[in-house]
Amino acid sequence: MNKEIINKILEVAVNAPSGENSQPWRFEVNSNKIHIFNLPERDRSLYNFGQKGSLVAHGALIENILITAPIFGYNAEIDLLPDNKDFDFIATISLVELLPDQQKNESLYSCIVKRVTNRKPYKNIPLSDEQLKDLKNVENEIGEGRVIFVYDPEKMKDIANLCSVNERVMFENKLIHNFFFDHINWTEKEELEKRLGFYIKTLELPSPVQFALKLFRYWPAMNLFNKLGLNKIIAKGNAVNYANASAMVAFAVKNNTSRDFIIAGRLMQRLWLKVTKMGLSAQPMAGMLFFMQAISGGETSKFSSSQIELIKNAHENVKKTFDINNEMPVMIFRVGYGGEPSARSSKKPPEIIFKN
Ligand SMILES: Cc1cc2nc3c(=O)[nH]c(=O)nc-3n(C[C@H](O)[C@H](O)[C@H](O)COP(=O)(O)O)c2cc1C
């Protein structure tokens, strides 16, 4: 198998989204097989309890490989979680020559490098029936999981408020506050050196807020301002921004297994690429859902009892608003017309070990 082709496929695929741009992957290649491994040390935060956020990111990475391989003349066959004793062994992808009747999706392929998390304010122009139908079709294309849309303005407002519980908790919980600020790259130089974490410009904050953030990175300062309700004010402001969207989208799966999270990641990525193709923008608003994963998994000592209450309520109400009953919501997005983002986050080149 040509090493250069594998390199090219993975160079494109690693443009996948990941929590805090953690890019928690490495690769081992043996002949036509690409083994994908998780790097748990890249994100051990409360956002990534049980590495669930990273599993979603791996789903997105795998979807990118499945779309990219045919462009280079190969069909990619996936074997998910091939070793049940090695939790970090995510998948083996076998590349086999593409047959004449197997399809390439050039347009989705070209969107892999264009896709971006856009945190700008969106125009709330409704999606057309045709757009909704095309987006909903990712369920059939992946064959598992469910994508649910909400576009009623009042319900979107509710979802925006419920998701902004993330910011409320993030700024008043010392652990999460410190994690967030430790992962900000304040300058372009720092961003280009690290190629991991949040580049400040991608947060789309007005200059005075960017300036204030430099003060709030110190926990005692943040803690003091929280006594005046700062975390609630930030959450409210963000909720207004989130609610201005064409639609809210939830990705739900049947069970709480690693495989389910990977499937949710594939659904998310495919929808995100389609959204990009339509000239629309998207932003995950997933923090609250992942806090709930931590709480359900028993990580309760890291939250105050009022935070636990807040998160549980928000989770319950989000499920009700999306009409999710016997499934688990893994991700929530807002989708709308946001224009070009001010900046993009940088990606590391793929870390590949060739075994043959
Ligand atoms: C599992 C997961 C959860 C995420 N949650 C959020 C979120 O709550 N808010 C947000 O603004 N971005 C969120 N993101 C987007 C990441 O921050 C983003 O993918 C990363 O910084 C890289 O930027 P890019 O998507 O532009 O490549 C999430 C991404 C993933 C994969």
Side-chain angles (χ1 to χ4, degrees):
M1 184 77 221
N2 185 326
K3 287 182 185 173
E4 223 167 274
I5 288 186
I6 293 196
N7 223 341
K8 278 189 181 156
I9 293 172
L10 294 179
E11 261 172 19
V12 175
V14 295
N15 285 289
S18 54
E20 310 91 36
N21 198 26
S22 55
Q23 302 162 67
W25 34 69
R26 67 174 186 87
F27 307 92
E28 287 182 11
V29 174
N30 205 332
S31 145
N32 70 328
K33 293 199 186 317
I34 304 172
H35 304 297
I36 305 175
F37 292 90
N38 183 42
L39 295 173
E41 65 278 11
R42 285 274 168 92
D43 185 356
R44 295 206 188 268
S45 74
L46 279 174
Y47 283 116
N48 200 22
F49 177 82
Q51 295 290 313
K52 290 178 177 172
S54 290
L55 289 166
V56 172
H58 276 281
L61 172 82
I62 289 168
E63 191 57 26
N64 280 355
I65 297 176
L66 296 181
I67 294 168
T68 304
I71 306 296
F72 290 91
Y74 292 91
N75 195 40
E77 293 169 0
I78 354 168
D79 182 10
L80 284 186
L81 304 161
D83 181 354
N84 59 14
K85 281 182 235 76
D86 185 353
F87 181 79
D88 292 319
F89 190 177
I90 301 293
T92 292
I93 310 258
S94 305
L95 298 179
V96 286
E97 226 167 283
L98 197 71
L99 301 172
D101 64 331
Q102 287 176 322
Q103 287 183 356
K104 296 181 190 181
N105 196 330
E106 303 265 1
S107 59
L108 281 195
Y109 166 71
S110 70
C111 288
I112 292 176
V113 291
K114 292 186 201 145
R115 183 215 56 83
V116 65
T117 299
N118 192 335
R119 301 185 177 91
K120 275 193 160 172
Y122 294 176
K123 290 196 190 106
N124 49 0
I125 305 167
L127 300 181
S128 68
D129 288 348
E130 207 177 309
Q131 283 174 320
L132 282 168
K133 198 173 148 208
D134 188 11
L135 294 176
K136 181 84 178 155
N137 200 36
V138 297
E139 285 175 354
N140 300 324
E141 290 161 6
I142 301 296
E144 280 178 80
R146 204 156 69 91
V147 183
I148 308 122
F149 295 86
V150 164
Y151 30 82
D152 171 76
E154 284 310 308
K155 284 190 178 173
M156 288 207 291
K157 244 188 228 168
D158 290 344
I159 293 166
N161 276 320
L162 296 166
C163 289
S164 76
V165 159
N166 168 60
E167 286 85 322
R168 208 173 137 177
V169 172
M170 176 172 91
F171 287 118
E172 71 164 39
N173 179 308
K174 189 178 173 187
L175 264 181
I176 308 169
H177 164 278
N178 289 350
F179 171 80
F180 173 69
F181 281 98
D182 281 350
H183 287 78
I184 293 186
N185 297 330
W186 297 92
T187 62
E188 190 180 1
K189 185 169 175 276
E190 197 182 357
E191 166 70 11
L192 291 175
E193 273 167 17
K194 289 192 185 153
R195 297 185 167 268
L196 287 171
F198 291 118
Y199 179 27
I200 185 77
K201 279 196 174 170
T202 66
L203 300 183
E204 304 287 359
L205 303 167
S207 306
V209 180
Q210 258 187 58
F211 186 76
L213 222 53
K214 291 205 165 151
L215 171 65
F216 300 144
R217 73 178 139 167
Y218 301 107
W219 172 248
M222 186 79 228
N223 199 23
L224 188 70
F225 278 94
N226 281 344
K227 306 230 184 306
L228 305 170
L230 181 69
N231 62 325
K232 290 179 197 146
I233 295 168
I234 297 174
K236 262 201 180 146
N238 281 6
V240 172
N241 192 28
Y242 294 158
N244 260 325
S246 304
M248 299 286 179
V249 189
F251 301 86
V253 288
K254 281 257 175 289
N255 299 303
N256 190 347
T257 67
S258 297
R259 193 177 176 283
D260 284 281
F261 282 87
I262 296 173
I263 297 296
R266 286 193 58 198
L267 276 174
M268 169 195 82
Q269 178 68 359
R270 199 153 179 105
L271 184 130
W272 206 335
L273 295 176
K274 285 191 171 193
V275 157
T276 306
K277 189 174 141 188
M278 291 171 184
L280 284 154
S281 308
Q283 180 192 3
M285 306 179 299
M288 179 274 291
L289 295 181
F290 284 98
F291 288 156
M292 189 62 206
Q293 290 292 341
I295 291 167
S296 312
E299 200 74 305
T300 46
S301 63
K302 310 266 169 66
F303 298 93
S304 71
S305 49
S306 64
Q307 287 164 359
I308 293 175
E309 205 49 35
L310 202 62
I311 293 163
K312 280 188 173 168
N313 273 332
H315 193 263
E316 205 40 52
N317 284 320
V318 147
K319 279 178 73 179
K320 269 193 204 140
T321 316
F322 277 106
D323 203 13
I324 297 173
N325 298 306
N326 301 318
E327 299 156 291
M328 186 185 57
V330 175
M331 288 291 284
I332 297 175
F333 261 26
R334 65 176 175 126
V335 168
Y337 292 87
E340 268 302 300
S342 307
R344 288 171 171 267
S345 60
S346 313
K347 301 289 183 262
K348 282 178 159 300
E351 201 182 299
I352 313 173
I353 299 173
F354 287 95
K355 295 277 191 179
N356 51 321

